[in-house]
Structures are given as C-alpha cells and as structure tokens.
Amino acid sequence: MSAKIIDGKKVAQLTRDEVKKDVNDWVESGNRAPFLQVVLVGNNPASDVYVGAKTRACKEVGIETDTMRLPDTISAKELEATIQELNNDDSVDGILVQLPLPNHLSSHNVIESIDYRKDVDGFHPMNVGRLTVGQPSFRSCTPAGIIELFKHYSIPTKGKHAVVVGASNIVGRPISILLNKEKGEEGKATTTVCHKFTKDLTQHTISADILIVAAGQPNLIKGEMVKEGVVVVDVGINRVADETKEKGYSLVGDCDFESVKEKASWITPVPGGVGPMTVAMLMKNTLLAAKKSIYPQ
Ligand code: GUN
C-alpha cells in the first residue's frame, strides 16, 4: 500500500477562506475587526518564523494583529503586568504568548495570567479543564487542526485504537483527550499515550489504527514500527542539516516518511501537513474570541 496524502495546506486554505468570509460578515454587521495581540519574548529564530506565519494568516482573513516584542531580560513581574493590561483592554480579543519562553520565566505562570476568555491558544488550565470534562472551550490549535483533517477526509476515529507518541500539554495530551471523547460527534477512540519513559515503543505503535506522533525527534517512527493501513499524523517539525538547501537545513517530521508511507493508508507530509492547520485553527479561535462564542458575557 502507498498512503494517500492528507493535504494540510489545502484544508488550511479552505479553513482560512471560511474564516475570512465569517470575519467579513461580522464586520459588515457593524462590529470591529477581531484583534489578536501576539507577545514574543526574546529572539528565538523558530518562534520568529511561526509568528510570521500567524500574522500573515491574520492579514489574509481580515483579523487585525500586532506583535509586541519584549526583551529576554524582562522579569516575570513586568511580563505579567503587560499581560494584565491586555486582559483589561476591550479592544484585544485574543492574546498569544509565543512559546518557548526564556528559562527564567515560568510558562505555567504566564499562561495562567492570560484571561482564559482571550486564550486563543487554548493553553490556560480553565480551557484545558473544560476540554477534559467536555465543556465548550478554546481548543489547542494543533489538536483541533488534526480533528479538522479527520473530518475533512472522513477518516473515522470511533472504536479505533489511537496511539499518541508524545505527552506535551500543547499537542499529545489534548489530542489524546479529543480522540478519547465518548460523547458528541468526535473522538470515541481508545487511546494510548506514549512518552519518553515508554518501554518498547514499537509494541504500542504497531497496534495503532491511528498514530499521532508529536515527539520532536526526527525519524523516530519507521515503517517496521507500524501496521498496514494505519493513519499517520506527523506533528514533528525538525530542522536537520542539509547542504543541498540554501538555508543549510531541511524540515522533517518525526516519521521516516518514505518507509512509513508504504504501510499507511493516510499520512500527513512535513511540511504541508499539520503545521498550516495550527495557524488556520488560531484564526478560527480568534474569531470565536471576538464573537464571545465560547464565553458569552
Ligand atoms: N510554540 C510552539 N507551538 C506553539 C503554539 O501553538 N502556540 C504558542 N503560543 N507557542 C507555540
């Protein structure tokens, strides 16, 4: 079998087109355009690239945005005071603090200082908790994007064994919760979450009907570790040295694409798989924040 490609770039474009239309309708009905405040601390080159993609998407769909660049010397107190101001500013609908933060800052404290009603990343414990108990919440953008891809391609999850490799708060844990949901339209899969202490990873990956890999390790998953017909979602974006490229590196996922695609029924490429969906779902969340759809006031 050679896998069919899950085209995240295409589905992300469709999602952005839909958000653009909805933003336009919202503004035509007399509301101001949604506003996303991005906060970028320090000089992480990868964060610069991600924030660039997010602000370009905002412009495309008609969401207004500003990136506040703060020095990596900023204290926790100063950063929290800045976030408080944004929380209290009625012209700000969504607040996104790009991660990772410099080591002296606690991402937990910073995330908790954001008003959960403006937490378009879906990282605040209020949103994570509500997601866990099946209440409306902002959903972390990458997991929400994966669910959207399954919907678009009519890939069923009900009754399947979904194996998640990586237990991060941003991807692994929330996607395992969404896939495991028993009520509603989505999920209904049986989930296994693997992490760096998992013994014999292959024992788990080989039994997966759906394999979500978000470990941040290039070539972690090879063809011999998966079963025939598996649906593979590769969340990894790793820079590996490549002299043939102008930049000196190329982007690869956590799967050995060539060998895994021979066994899989569906697979996401890197780049062009999950990455663009993360950005598109952020646009959706920002519009939801502006409309106060999740937390009516
Ligand atoms: N760093 C890597 N991914 C993300 C994301 O989705 N949101 C934020 N804020 N930071 C990130």
Side-chain angles (χ1 to χ4, degrees):
M1 181 180 285
S2 187
K4 284 179 274 190
I5 298 294
I6 298 178
D7 187 347
K9 214 171 148 184
K10 183 185 89 181
V11 182
Q13 182 65 60
L14 294 172
T15 307
R16 292 199 304 274
D17 289 346
E18 201 181 288
V19 175
K20 183 175 180 174
K21 186 184 169 301
D22 291 350
V23 168
N24 194 51
D25 290 350
W26 176 247
V27 172
E28 295 255 295
S29 329
N31 302 290
R32 64 164 173 75
F35 182 83
L36 173 67
Q37 181 65 57
V38 177
V39 178
L40 186 53
V41 185
N43 296 303
N44 180 320
S47 289
D48 266 351
V49 173
Y50 295 139
V51 167
K54 290 169 189 183
T55 53
R56 273 196 306 280
C58 282
K59 291 200 174 92
E60 181 188 328
V61 304
I63 290 174
E64 290 188 1
T65 184
D66 174 65
T67 300
M68 185 185 281
R69 290 180 172 268
L70 300 171
D72 59 6
T73 50
I74 194 168
S75 70
K77 224 172 159 184
E78 284 168 317
L79 181 55
E80 258 174 56
T82 303
I83 291 171
Q84 269 314 326
E85 270 180 40
L86 299 170
N87 286 344
N88 295 332
D89 185 342
D90 286 342
S91 67
V92 173
D93 298 302
I95 303 171
L96 181 148
V97 179
Q98 186 66 24
L99 303 178
L101 291 168
N103 286 337
H104 70 282
L105 297 168
S106 152
S107 57
H108 286 299
N109 291 349
V110 171
I111 288 166
E112 264 191 278
S113 72
I114 298 171
D115 185 331
Y116 62 85
R117 293 164 298 189
K118 299 188 178 188
D119 169 38
V120 286
D121 258 328
F123 293 167
H124 192 287
M126 180 69 153
N127 284 310
V128 179
R130 287 176 64 103
L131 178 81
T132 307
V133 297
Q135 284 276 82
S137 66
F138 286 111
R139 290 176 167 193
S140 179
C141 300
T142 303
I146 294 170
I147 298 293
E148 202 67 22
L149 287 172
F150 288 164
K151 274 190 201 157
H152 180 87
Y153 287 98
S154 302
I155 294 171
T157 58
K158 185 177 173 184
K160 304 292 182 189
H161 183 205
V163 175
V164 179
V165 180
S168 70
N169 289 333
I170 296 182
V171 183
R173 243 173 247 293
I175 190 63
S176 74
I177 291 163
L178 284 171
L179 286 171
N180 189 238
K181 267 178 65 164
E182 204 183 351
K183 300 209 171 74
E185 298 291 306
E186 313 145 330
K188 301 184 170 59
T190 303
T191 51
T192 298
V193 182
C194 303
H195 46 58
K196 54 168 136 358
F197 298 106
T198 299
K199 287 183 192 159
D200 190 1
L201 184 60
T202 302
Q203 178 203 329
H204 300 285
T205 58
I206 201 89
S207 74
D209 302 311
I210 296 170
L211 182 63
I212 314 280
V213 193
Q217 224 176 295
N219 289 322
L220 177 66
I221 305 296
K222 298 178 179 64
E224 70 253 27
M225 296 169 71
V226 300
K227 76 177 176 193
E228 199 71 35
V230 63
V231 175
V232 177
V233 175
D234 189 346
V235 185
I237 307 181
N238 308 291
R239 289 183 180 192
V240 295
D242 184 347
E243 287 165 8
T244 68
K245 295 277 153 69
E246 206 176 299
K247 288 178 180 163
Y249 66 86
S250 55
L251 292 177
V252 300
D254 290 352
C255 296
D256 172 33
F257 187 79
E258 291 306 318
S259 64
V260 173
K261 88 170 195 307
E262 292 308 315
K263 304 275 279 294
S265 56
W266 290 96
I267 192 166
T268 60
V270 178
V274 175
M277 287 307 292
T278 300
V279 178
M281 299 316 282
L282 175 67
M283 301 300 106
K284 262 197 157 171
N285 278 353
T286 305
L287 178 59
L288 289 172
K291 288 184 164 179
K292 306 202 182 333
S293 305
I294 292 170
Y295 298 110
Q297 280 171 337

